[in-house]
Amino acid sequence: MSVTGGMKCVKYLVFFFNFIFWLCGLALIVVGIMVQVSLNKTLKITDPTASAAPIILIGVGVVIFFISFFGCCGAFKENHCMVTTFAVLLSLIVIVEIAAAIVGYVFRNKLSTIVHDSVTEMISKYEKGTPEFKETVDNLQHNLKCCGVNGSSDWKNFTSKGNSVPDSCCKNVTKGCGIGTMTDSDKVYQQGCSAAMETFLKNNILWVIVAAVVIAILQLLGIVFACCLIKGIRDGYEVM
């Protein structure tokens, strides 16, 4: 027996919310992959702790992707077992997300250490690095408008005279612009890449938090509507 009246509306709400969850899951997978590629290739951050966040994003995205598909089928077919399973699994996902948020907050101060160590390693390996590696470091300095780890003086061993920096440190990049201009603030960025990268990551984390809150609210509404639909389906069976 199909649900009727207000439960019919709830059924379509559950279906609609599951479609939104499906899109959210897909978005988390894409964002997780992009962050992972950025950390391990573009920024060359090798600390395994740094990879935890994108891996969790990808994992949660995959789970939500399949759970939402499961919920859509359950709502469409008005299957009590499938909708119940969906509500339980979605509740577990919310709990995991809350736990992940707490862990992220507790270890938030470690971000500075991870970034500093990673940038230091990149700078130290620059001279003997491959052309691709050097290009990565150059892109980092150019894009974030920074130079060295803590400042341009970190490149004191870049040349024998100790007063030159890579051209990517220059405000207006031209070939040889970094020669003899290490302390020239008019020509070379003086801010270190460690602080610049940390600021960049913290600014982007704000948008991640906003997105997480929105998704969590949608998930809670989905659980409420799923429970209402479960009751409606069960009542329909009892009438039969």
Side-chain angles (χ1 to χ4, degrees), residues 220-233:
L220 290 173
L221 287 173
I223 293 171
V224 172
F225 287 130
C227 290
C228 292
L229 181 58
I230 291 170
K231 184 178 184 302
I233 295 173

Side-chain angles (χ1 to χ4, degrees), residues 116 119-120 123 141 145-158 162 164-166 169 181-185 188-197:
H116 186 273
V119 176
T120 300
I123 299 301
Q141 295 192 133
K145 298 180 179 180
C146 60
C147 187
V149 181
N150 300 306
S152 61
S153 59
D154 290 325
W155 288 106
K156 60 185 178 182
N157 295 322
F158 182 59
S164 300
V165 295
C169 283
T181 59
M182 175 183 287
T183 59
D184 190 341
S185 59
V188 172
Y189 294 113
Q190 300 299 306
Q191 181 188 26
C193 291
S194 178
M197 189 188 297

